[in-house]
Amino acid sequence: MIVSLILIVLLVVFMAFFIGMNLSNVCTFWFFKTYTNLPVSILALIAFGAGIVFALLFIFVAKMRAPASDAEVRAQKRLEKKAKAEERLRQAKEKQAEKQAAKDAKKQKGEIQVNQ
């Protein structure tokens, strides 16, 4: 935990030093408007941030447009789960019916002995 904190602080210090030493390197950039005297290091950070945003956007779109085969697999798994649940419910009902039948048989046997 402390090592990661130290590494992050060192990274931030390095970035600040790098940007500070390169503030004199400027360029012109057009993005629907011309920006003049823009530091190159700031432009690099903006490009990096835009790359992250677009990568996340493409990943999100790809997840939403999952192939039909994936949807079919998920639907099949849901059907299998439902069938297993129904089978367990049927087995539980059978056990309950067996217990009830055994109870009734015991009760009936007890009534026959009392009548004799």
Side-chain angles (χ1 to χ4, degrees):
M1 179 80 171
I2 292 176
V3 173
S4 61
L5 180 62
I6 291 171
L7 288 175
I8 290 171
V9 168
L10 289 175
L11 180 66
V12 170
V13 168
F14 172 75
M15 293 287 293
F17 180 74
F18 177 77
I19 291 171
M21 295 304 285
N22 289 302
L23 284 177
S24 61
N25 297 331
V26 293
C27 65
T28 302
F29 178 69
W30 181 87
F31 186 70
F32 300 107
K33 179 184 170 188
T34 302
Y35 299 94
T36 57
N37 297 331
L38 185 66
V40 174
S41 55
I42 299 298
L43 187 59
L45 289 175
I46 291 171
F48 182 73
I52 290 173
V53 168
F54 279 104
L56 291 175
L57 180 68
F58 283 122
I59 289 170
F60 180 70
V61 168
K63 290 280 186 185
M64 290 188 64
R65 289 186 176 188
S69 61
D70 289 348
E72 291 171 2
V73 168
R74 286 192 299 265
Q76 183 66 28
K77 284 183 180 179
R78 274 196 301 266
L79 288 174
E80 288 174 2
K81 274 186 174 180
K82 187 176 180 181
K84 285 181 182 179
E86 289 174 352
E87 178 65 22
R88 278 185 261 142
L89 182 63
R90 185 187 63 76
Q91 288 176 350
K93 285 182 180 179
E94 284 179 0
K95 281 185 179 180
Q96 186 68 24
E98 288 174 2
K99 285 181 182 179
Q100 188 64 32
K103 200 179 212 182
D104 290 344
K106 210 181 229 187
K107 192 175 188 183
Q108 199 173 34
K109 189 177 180 182
E111 287 177 4
I112 292 173
Q113 287 180 356
V114 170
N115 287 339
Q116 288 177 358

